[in-house]
Amino acid sequence: MKQKLPEPMVQAFEQAEAAAKRGEVPVGAVIVDALGNIIAKAANQTLELKDPTAHAEMLAIRAAAQALNSERLIDCDLYVTLEPCAMCAAAISFARIRRIYFAAGDAKMGAIENGPRFFTQPTCHHAPEVYSGIGETEAQKLLRDFFKTRR
């Protein structure tokens, strides 16, 4: 039985699918406030913006910070379709995001449950609660299908 995804993760997948249609790696991110209201949505735009930092998480964090007029996203949660990389994990920590929910792990570039495990490092000032595997099968399929067309 397929699990029902929380609405913010559904929206993150919509962002990821839109990115794939634009030729970007299909990763989408959504940030919600303490009441569950969506305050920012983004998808990868590294190619479009010619910016290696334009990952979905980074763009969503920037948009949420602007929406809240604050560099701290203290009572906010991040939903993302792929395990964040080290750069994004650092931004999540700096923003003081409360919780992160991600779909698929990333053995090659992930930095939360894979690689450097950023939030477990003694130099990490803030570690959010982490929930993984939410929509993992769907995320893996989306990524696999995307890269199949590129090879």
Side-chain angles (χ1 to χ4, degrees):
M1 185 170 128
K2 191 174 177 181
Q3 75 184 49
K4 180 168 173 22
L5 298 175
E7 184 57 28
M9 189 62 87
V10 170
Q11 300 250 347
F13 272 103
E14 288 174 4
Q15 291 292 313
E17 290 163 1
K21 288 178 182 157
R22 296 190 316 271
E24 298 276 359
V25 174
V27 178
V30 169
I31 296 179
V32 300
D33 65 16
L35 300 174
N37 300 310
I38 293 173
I39 57 171
K41 298 189 247 185
N44 275 1
Q45 288 186 276
T46 58
L47 300 174
E48 183 178 338
L49 298 177
K50 307 289 187 266
D51 179 356
T53 71
H55 291 193
E57 302 95 318
M58 299 293 285
L59 297 173
I61 288 168
R62 290 175 190 150
Q66 288 294 309
L68 296 177
N69 196 32
S70 175
E71 75 282 6
R72 301 281 190 243
L73 306 176
I74 295 190
D75 289 322
C76 295
D77 300 336
L78 169 68
Y79 291 79
V80 62
T81 58
L82 185 65
E83 177 181 1
C85 70
M87 173 184 67
C88 293
I92 290 162
S93 179
F94 293 152
R96 304 298 195 266
I97 289 175
R98 176 177 61 177
R99 294 183 198 108
I100 176 169
Y101 300 86
F102 71 86
D106 186 349
K108 185 174 181 183
M109 292 298 295
I112 294 176
E113 291 182 347
N114 291 285
R117 299 177 189 258
F118 189 89
F119 301 133
T120 66
Q121 299 303 313
T123 53
C124 179
H125 293 292
H126 169 77
E129 294 174 31
V130 175
Y131 302 90
S132 61
I134 300 153
E136 181 174 29
T137 303
E138 295 91 333
Q140 289 171 338
K141 181 180 181 336
L142 183 61
L143 288 159
R144 207 172 23 253
D145 290 351
F146 176 81
F147 286 112
K148 194 182 298 180
T149 66
R150 301 291 184 273
R151 294 184 179 128

